[in-house]
Each structure stands twice: as structure tokens, then as C-alpha cells.
Amino acid sequence: MDLPHGDGTISLSLPSCDVDVARPPGRDPVDPRTAAEVAMENPHGPPLASLVDPVDEVAIVVTDVTRDTPDDVLVDVLFEHLPVPRENVTIVVGLGLHRPMTDAELRDGLGEYAPLAVNHDPHAAVTLGAVDGCPIAVHPAVADADVVVSTGMVEPHQYAGFSGGAKTVVIGAGSEAIIRYTHGPEMLSRDGVRLGRVRGNPFRETLDRAGLVAGPDFCLNVTKGPDGFLGAAAGDPASVVRSLASTARDALSVSVDADYDAVVCGVGAPKDANLYQATRAATYVALGDCNPLTAGGRLVVPAALDEGAGEGTGEQRFFDALSSATDADSLYESMRAGYEPGAQRAFVVARVLCEHDVFVTNSTAPDVVDACLMHARESVEDAVEPGSRVLVVPDALNTLLV
């Protein structure tokens, strides 16, 4: 069996184990450009052209390298419906607290539109209003725009249920204040804040309300599964997320038992570039709708980790929290009192580590793994005990275990 690893694969063989494989049912993949064009012709709400005057300044907020969004295609389709000259458009890369994209990455991700792009700096955000007393601030180009548009990937998300919609702008082009509020322990402990849930999710509802303050006014999002893109939707952000989340949920859900000794969680590029992103695989499995592990069972994540823990502010806070802790239980308890934005990934990882060991294999940064209360191993086989009952989830970030 092959598992994703970076831009390639690794081979897995566990002959002494009882192995099951969780593969989502999926659906026939679609061409993202064709799907986006159809979505733009059938939007949720008013069409984009009706929202924009020829003299308007437009900001398009796009995703960064941690999302596998075809931003070059989506931006190109958006331009076909924007009645403004190119010089009236600024593309803002929604980094949140991730590292800036390089010039080469911008060219790869945006093609001919790369010269219009600027990396977001959360410290330069402009306040436009507030939600629940939390300031809503965004990149100056977004604050100054007459119309705000966004791209996005509606994929399973630990807190928002599914990503995409207003999140690209509110978080991606937002300030530390909204990240601190939405990603803090009080919000993450609320009922309904969970992987795969959109309706009745306070995290998602907060993003949608913040989106009414800061934008987007219109979004073009896609969703995908292990075999490719599943669909696209355009228009009102909340409606787009609900529509694509329903599509994704039907295609990505797998019914499983809850008595496995180990779960092997496949990741692959772009998420396995650093430990911050790669640990999503472990937390999505253990903190989803159904944790398939027995008490004390282990999670095994093959990941390249070319960037180590990660290079952005959030990634470094994640590393600092885990690497300075003596054990998961005390770290989790201390972080329940609060933490800096970005460190929320350490909080949920610690929550998982209180119940399960996490092994990260096949990486170029074993020292980083070992420093973060996890266990580095050369291969998946080295991390799984002989005779174990094992569940392999080849694409853990695009599989909902139910």
C-alpha cells in the first residue's frame, strides 16, 4: 500500500498486523475551472458583476501554501466577472499567522496574477468594527476596498467544521485579536465546535458574523477529496460553505469501529511540510466524530517536515509551547487558562497526547518531533507494534470518521 508523503508516496507493509483501510466513497472528480465557471453563473445570491461598479477598488483575498486551492484558476475566473481594470484589483494572500509566501510560491500559486499580490501582515491590520467585543481588523487593502472577494477551500477543519467562506478574509487577512478570540480555549471548548460541523458551530457562526463586518461580499470556493476536486460554489459566503460542506461530507464520511490499537494517518503535501500542519492528521482522527482508537492506542503520521515545526509566528508559538513542556497533561491544563494566537494547535495536540501517543515517521526533522512530546521513527513499520489491529487512513485530512 502507498501513502502520501510530500509530493510523492511511501510504501507501507504491515504483514504481522490486522489492517483495515478507511477510504471515503468519494465521487467523480470535476475540473476545477469548469466547476468554477458553472458556479459563477449560478451563484448563491446576486452575481458578482452586479456588486461591482467599473470604478470600484476590489480586494481579492486568496489562500496561502497551506491550502491546496487552485487560486490561479479561481482568480482567473473571478476576473472574467469583474467589470474593473486590473489596476483596480489587489490580491491579498491570507496568511493568518503563517509565514509569508515567497515570490516563487506566488508565481506558482497565482500565475499571471502574482504581480498583483501582497502578503498579509496581521500587525498592520485596520479595525472596521467588532463582534462580541472583539475588534475585527483586516489588511489595509481589504479595509479600503469597495468590494471584497475571496477564494477558498471548503475542507474539514478542526474548529470551523469546514474551512472556506468568510474564514479566508476574517482569519487569513485578519489580526491577532480575532485569532486570539476564535482560537482561544474558551471558544474551542464550546459545544458544537468540532470537525465536520457547520450548523450550530459557534466558531463558524462567529466567522460568519465577522464576515458581515469585514467581508467577503462574494466568494468562489472549491472542495476536494482524495481523488480530486468535488465541486465549486460561488456567492454568499455562508451559503457557499453550507453547500460545499454537504457535498464534502457525503463524499468523505467513512463508518468505522472504535477498537484499533493504531491508526496510520496519511497527510502528504502541502500539509506535511511542517509539524504544525501535519499534526492535523492526528487531531482530526482522535477528536473527530468517532475516535477509532482503544484506550492508549497510538497515532502514526508519516510526514516530510521539510520546514521542521514551521516558520510562521503561529508555528513557532506551537513549537515553543510543546517543546518547553514536560508532559502533555500539565501543558493542557496550563493552556486552558489561555495562550497566544497560533499556540492553539499545541493546545489540541496536548489534548490528544493526554490519551494517545503520537509517532511521526519518515521525516527530515526527527529532533523537532522528539522535542514536541511526540516520537520520531524512521518508518511507519517502526512505529506500529506487531500483532496490532491497525486502521490506515490514507488521506486523514479529507476523511471524516463517523
mmCIF file of all heavy atoms in Angstrom, residues 131-132 134 136 166 170-171 178 181-183 187 190 193 198 201-213:
data_model
loop_
_atom_site.group_PDB
_atom_site.id
_atom_site.type_symbol
_atom_site.label_atom_id
_atom_site.label_comp_id
_atom_site.label_asym_id
_atom_site.label_seq_id
_atom_site.Cartn_x
_atom_site.Cartn_y
_atom_site.Cartn_z
ATOM 1 N N VAL A 131 -17.081 42.219 16.908
ATOM 2 C CA VAL A 131 -18.047 41.131 17.123
ATOM 3 C C VAL A 131 -17.801 40.594 18.522
ATOM 4 O O VAL A 131 -16.658 40.253 18.864
ATOM 5 C CB VAL A 131 -17.886 40.014 16.074
ATOM 6 C CG1 VAL A 131 -18.647 38.771 16.490
ATOM 7 C CG2 VAL A 131 -18.367 40.486 14.708
ATOM 8 N N ASP A 132 -18.847 40.547 19.334
ATOM 9 C CA ASP A 132 -18.731 40.083 20.722
ATOM 10 C C ASP A 132 -17.647 40.853 21.484
ATOM 11 O O ASP A 132 -16.974 40.310 22.360
ATOM 12 C CB ASP A 132 -18.398 38.586 20.772
ATOM 13 C CG ASP A 132 -19.472 37.720 20.132
ATOM 14 O OD1 ASP A 132 -20.624 38.175 20.047
ATOM 15 O OD2 ASP A 132 -19.145 36.589 19.709
ATOM 16 N N CYS A 134 -14.874 41.816 20.297
ATOM 17 C CA CYS A 134 -13.553 41.572 19.703
ATOM 18 C C CYS A 134 -13.388 42.430 18.461
ATOM 19 O O CYS A 134 -14.232 42.387 17.551
ATOM 20 C CB CYS A 134 -13.400 40.096 19.331
ATOM 21 S SG CYS A 134 -11.855 39.722 18.460
ATOM 22 N N ILE A 136 -12.586 43.612 14.843
ATOM 23 C CA ILE A 136 -12.451 42.959 13.547
ATOM 24 C C ILE A 136 -11.593 43.862 12.674
ATOM 25 O O ILE A 136 -12.017 44.963 12.284
ATOM 26 C CB ILE A 136 -13.815 42.717 12.881
ATOM 27 C CG1 ILE A 136 -14.722 41.914 13.803
ATOM 28 C CG2 ILE A 136 -13.624 42.015 11.539
ATOM 29 C CD1 ILE A 136 -14.170 40.570 14.205
ATOM 30 N N ALA A 166 -16.118 32.977 4.845
ATOM 31 C CA ALA A 166 -15.585 34.198 5.450
ATOM 32 C C ALA A 166 -14.232 33.980 6.106
ATOM 33 O O ALA A 166 -13.480 34.942 6.310
ATOM 34 C CB ALA A 166 -16.578 34.745 6.473
ATOM 35 N N VAL A 170 -11.535 36.840 7.272
ATOM 36 C CA VAL A 170 -11.575 37.192 8.693
ATOM 37 C C VAL A 170 -10.325 36.701 9.428
ATOM 38 O O VAL A 170 -9.751 37.424 10.253
ATOM 39 C CB VAL A 170 -12.845 36.617 9.335
ATOM 40 C CG1 VAL A 170 -12.827 36.817 10.844
ATOM 41 C CG2 VAL A 170 -14.074 37.267 8.736
ATOM 42 N N ILE A 171 -9.908 35.475 9.128
ATOM 43 C CA ILE A 171 -8.715 34.919 9.758
ATOM 44 C C ILE A 171 -7.488 35.142 8.881
ATOM 45 O O ILE A 171 -6.454 35.642 9.335
ATOM 46 C CB ILE A 171 -8.881 33.417 10.052
ATOM 47 C CG1 ILE A 171 -10.080 33.187 10.981
ATOM 48 C CG2 ILE A 171 -7.603 32.843 10.655
ATOM 49 C CD1 ILE A 171 -9.945 33.807 12.349
ATOM 50 N N ILE A 178 -8.705 38.660 16.480
ATOM 51 C CA ILE A 178 -9.760 37.716 16.128
ATOM 52 C C ILE A 178 -9.245 36.281 16.203
ATOM 53 O O ILE A 178 -9.987 35.359 16.548
ATOM 54 C CB ILE A 178 -10.351 38.029 14.731
ATOM 55 C CG1 ILE A 178 -11.587 37.156 14.455
ATOM 56 C CG2 ILE A 178 -9.305 37.846 13.647
ATOM 57 C CD1 ILE A 178 -12.741 37.376 15.398
ATOM 58 N N TYR A 181 -9.333 35.406 19.854
ATOM 59 C CA TYR A 181 -10.702 35.178 20.333
ATOM 60 C C TYR A 181 -11.259 33.856 19.816
ATOM 61 O O TYR A 181 -11.774 33.038 20.585
ATOM 62 C CB TYR A 181 -11.600 36.333 19.901
ATOM 63 C CG TYR A 181 -13.049 36.142 20.278
ATOM 64 C CD1 TYR A 181 -13.439 36.017 21.611
ATOM 65 C CD2 TYR A 181 -14.036 36.079 19.297
ATOM 66 C CE1 TYR A 181 -14.768 35.836 21.957
ATOM 67 C CE2 TYR A 181 -15.368 35.892 19.630
ATOM 68 C CZ TYR A 181 -15.733 35.774 20.956
ATOM 69 O OH TYR A 181 -17.050 35.585 21.303
ATOM 70 N N THR A 182 -11.154 33.618 18.514
ATOM 71 C CA THR A 182 -11.776 32.424 17.942
ATOM 72 C C THR A 182 -11.008 31.150 18.252
ATOM 73 O O THR A 182 -11.590 30.067 18.334
ATOM 74 C CB THR A 182 -11.919 32.553 16.419
ATOM 75 O OG1 THR A 182 -10.643 32.849 15.830
ATOM 76 C CG2 THR A 182 -12.910 33.651 16.057
ATOM 77 N N HIS A 183 -9.695 31.259 18.424
ATOM 78 C CA HIS A 183 -8.870 30.069 18.639
ATOM 79 C C HIS A 183 -8.482 29.871 20.107
ATOM 80 O O HIS A 183 -7.644 29.030 20.419
ATOM 81 C CB HIS A 183 -7.597 30.151 17.788
ATOM 82 C CG HIS A 183 -7.854 30.046 16.313
ATOM 83 N ND1 HIS A 183 -8.534 31.003 15.606
ATOM 84 C CD2 HIS A 183 -7.501 29.098 15.408
ATOM 85 C CE1 HIS A 183 -8.595 30.657 14.331
ATOM 86 N NE2 HIS A 183 -7.984 29.501 14.191
ATOM 87 N N MET A 187 -13.450 29.435 23.425
ATOM 88 C CA MET A 187 -14.190 29.136 22.205
ATOM 89 C C MET A 187 -14.061 27.664 21.833
ATOM 90 O O MET A 187 -15.045 26.995 21.488
ATOM 91 C CB MET A 187 -13.693 30.007 21.050
ATOM 92 C CG MET A 187 -14.322 29.683 19.691
ATOM 93 S SD MET A 187 -16.085 30.062 19.586
ATOM 94 C CE MET A 187 -16.019 31.853 19.354
ATOM 95 N N ARG A 190 -16.371 25.120 23.535
ATOM 96 C CA ARG A 190 -17.824 25.233 23.426
ATOM 97 C C ARG A 190 -18.421 24.035 22.685
ATOM 98 O O ARG A 190 -17.815 23.476 21.777
ATOM 99 C CB ARG A 190 -18.216 26.519 22.688
ATOM 100 C CG ARG A 190 -17.892 27.806 23.432
ATOM 101 C CD ARG A 190 -18.456 28.996 22.689
ATOM 102 N NE ARG A 190 -17.946 30.254 23.232
ATOM 103 C CZ ARG A 190 -18.274 31.454 22.759
ATOM 104 N NH1 ARG A 190 -19.106 31.538 21.736
ATOM 105 N NH2 ARG A 190 -17.754 32.532 23.296
ATOM 106 N N VAL A 193 -18.288 23.152 18.545
ATOM 107 C CA VAL A 193 -17.023 23.459 17.864
ATOM 108 C C VAL A 193 -16.319 22.133 17.625
ATOM 109 O O VAL A 193 -15.693 21.572 18.524
ATOM 110 C CB VAL A 193 -16.145 24.414 18.697
ATOM 111 C CG1 VAL A 193 -14.802 24.642 18.022
ATOM 112 C CG2 VAL A 193 -16.860 25.746 18.906
ATOM 113 N N VAL A 198 -20.960 22.452 10.675
ATOM 114 C CA VAL A 198 -21.107 23.853 10.294
ATOM 115 C C VAL A 198 -22.268 24.489 11.048
ATOM 116 O O VAL A 198 -22.116 25.520 11.699
ATOM 117 C CB VAL A 198 -21.307 23.985 8.765
ATOM 118 C CG1 VAL A 198 -21.631 25.423 8.385
ATOM 119 C CG2 VAL A 198 -20.058 23.510 8.018
ATOM 120 N N ASN A 201 -22.358 25.578 15.111
ATOM 121 C CA ASN A 201 -20.947 25.642 15.492
ATOM 122 C C ASN A 201 -20.600 27.092 15.843
ATOM 123 O O ASN A 201 -20.545 27.948 14.945
ATOM 124 C CB ASN A 201 -20.078 25.151 14.330
ATOM 125 C CG ASN A 201 -18.596 25.111 14.664
ATOM 126 O OD1 ASN A 201 -18.101 25.905 15.451
ATOM 127 N ND2 ASN A 201 -17.868 24.199 14.044
ATOM 128 N N PRO A 202 -20.368 27.412 17.120
ATOM 129 C CA PRO A 202 -20.099 28.805 17.497
ATOM 130 C C PRO A 202 -18.886 29.414 16.798
ATOM 131 O O PRO A 202 -18.867 30.623 16.537
ATOM 132 C CB PRO A 202 -19.880 28.727 19.011
ATOM 133 C CG PRO A 202 -20.586 27.482 19.433
ATOM 134 C CD PRO A 202 -20.423 26.523 18.294
ATOM 135 N N PHE A 203 -17.873 28.610 16.525
ATOM 136 C CA PHE A 203 -16.688 29.108 15.823
ATOM 137 C C PHE A 203 -17.079 29.583 14.424
ATOM 138 O O PHE A 203 -16.758 30.705 14.018
ATOM 139 C CB PHE A 203 -15.647 27.991 15.739
ATOM 140 C CG PHE A 203 -14.303 28.404 15.198
ATOM 141 C CD1 PHE A 203 -13.221 28.560 16.051
ATOM 142 C CD2 PHE A 203 -14.101 28.627 13.845
ATOM 143 C CE1 PHE A 203 -11.967 28.917 15.556
ATOM 144 C CE2 PHE A 203 -12.859 28.985 13.350
ATOM 145 C CZ PHE A 203 -11.796 29.136 14.204
ATOM 146 N N ARG A 204 -17.780 28.735 13.688
ATOM 147 C CA ARG A 204 -18.205 29.099 12.332
ATOM 148 C C ARG A 204 -19.166 30.279 12.365
ATOM 149 O O ARG A 204 -19.064 31.200 11.534
ATOM 150 C CB ARG A 204 -18.834 27.875 11.665
ATOM 151 C CG ARG A 204 -19.585 28.142 10.363
ATOM 152 C CD ARG A 204 -18.786 28.894 9.341
ATOM 153 N NE ARG A 204 -17.645 28.144 8.826
ATOM 154 C CZ ARG A 204 -16.798 28.648 7.930
ATOM 155 N NH1 ARG A 204 -16.936 29.899 7.495
ATOM 156 N NH2 ARG A 204 -15.786 27.929 7.490
ATOM 157 N N GLU A 205 -20.075 30.293 13.314
ATOM 158 C CA GLU A 205 -21.040 31.400 13.400
ATOM 159 C C GLU A 205 -20.338 32.728 13.679
ATOM 160 O O GLU A 205 -20.732 33.776 13.147
ATOM 161 C CB GLU A 205 -22.077 31.098 14.482
ATOM 162 C CG GLU A 205 -23.006 29.937 14.105
ATOM 163 C CD GLU A 205 -23.858 29.456 15.265
ATOM 164 O OE1 GLU A 205 -23.630 29.924 16.414
ATOM 165 O OE2 GLU A 205 -24.735 28.608 15.037
ATOM 166 N N THR A 206 -19.293 32.699 14.505
ATOM 167 C CA THR A 206 -18.523 33.911 14.774
ATOM 168 C C THR A 206 -17.829 34.400 13.508
ATOM 169 O O THR A 206 -17.819 35.609 13.218
ATOM 170 C CB THR A 206 -17.490 33.658 15.882
ATOM 171 O OG1 THR A 206 -18.160 33.250 17.068
ATOM 172 C CG2 THR A 206 -16.677 34.912 16.175
ATOM 173 N N LEU A 207 -17.234 33.486 12.751
ATOM 174 C CA LEU A 207 -16.599 33.883 11.497
ATOM 175 C C LEU A 207 -17.601 34.517 10.550
ATOM 176 O O LEU A 207 -17.298 35.532 9.895
ATOM 177 C CB LEU A 207 -15.963 32.667 10.815
ATOM 178 C CG LEU A 207 -14.818 31.959 11.524
ATOM 179 C CD1 LEU A 207 -14.276 30.846 10.632
ATOM 180 C CD2 LEU A 207 -13.708 32.927 11.892
ATOM 181 N N ASP A 208 -18.785 33.944 10.453
ATOM 182 C CA ASP A 208 -19.783 34.480 9.527
ATOM 183 C C ASP A 208 -20.239 35.868 9.945
ATOM 184 O O ASP A 208 -20.448 36.751 9.098
ATOM 185 C CB ASP A 208 -20.974 33.524 9.439
ATOM 186 C CG ASP A 208 -20.632 32.216 8.731
ATOM 187 O OD1 ASP A 208 -19.603 32.185 8.022
ATOM 188 O OD2 ASP A 208 -21.382 31.231 8.887
ATOM 189 N N ARG A 209 -20.392 36.081 11.257
ATOM 190 C CA ARG A 209 -20.775 37.421 11.723
ATOM 191 C C ARG A 209 -19.648 38.423 11.491
ATOM 192 O O ARG A 209 -19.889 39.578 11.100
ATOM 193 C CB ARG A 209 -21.162 37.383 13.199
ATOM 194 C CG ARG A 209 -22.513 36.718 13.439
ATOM 195 C CD ARG A 209 -22.967 36.837 14.874
ATOM 196 N NE ARG A 209 -22.160 36.031 15.770
ATOM 197 C CZ ARG A 209 -21.566 36.492 16.862
ATOM 198 N NH1 ARG A 209 -21.666 37.772 17.185
ATOM 199 N NH2 ARG A 209 -20.864 35.685 17.636
ATOM 200 N N ALA A 210 -18.414 37.987 11.697
ATOM 201 C CA ALA A 210 -17.272 38.876 11.419
ATOM 202 C C ALA A 210 -17.179 39.176 9.935
ATOM 203 O O ALA A 210 -16.776 40.286 9.536
ATOM 204 C CB ALA A 210 -15.983 38.231 11.916
ATOM 205 N N GLY A 211 -17.567 38.213 9.106
ATOM 206 C CA GLY A 211 -17.553 38.436 7.666
ATOM 207 C C GLY A 211 -18.519 39.510 7.218
ATOM 208 O O GLY A 211 -18.288 40.178 6.197
ATOM 209 N N LEU A 212 -19.602 39.704 7.969
ATOM 210 C CA LEU A 212 -20.536 40.783 7.638
ATOM 211 C C LEU A 212 -19.910 42.147 7.896
ATOM 212 O O LEU A 212 -20.322 43.157 7.310
ATOM 213 C CB LEU A 212 -21.824 40.628 8.456
ATOM 214 C CG LEU A 212 -22.631 39.346 8.197
ATOM 215 C CD1 LEU A 212 -23.834 39.293 9.134
ATOM 216 C CD2 LEU A 212 -23.079 39.289 6.736
ATOM 217 N N VAL A 213 -18.901 42.192 8.771
ATOM 218 C CA VAL A 213 -18.189 43.433 9.068
ATOM 219 C C VAL A 213 -17.064 43.674 8.070
ATOM 220 O O VAL A 213 -16.897 44.778 7.552
ATOM 221 C CB VAL A 213 -17.616 43.397 10.505
ATOM 222 C CG1 VAL A 213 -16.786 44.653 10.785
ATOM 223 C CG2 VAL A 213 -18.730 43.241 11.523
#
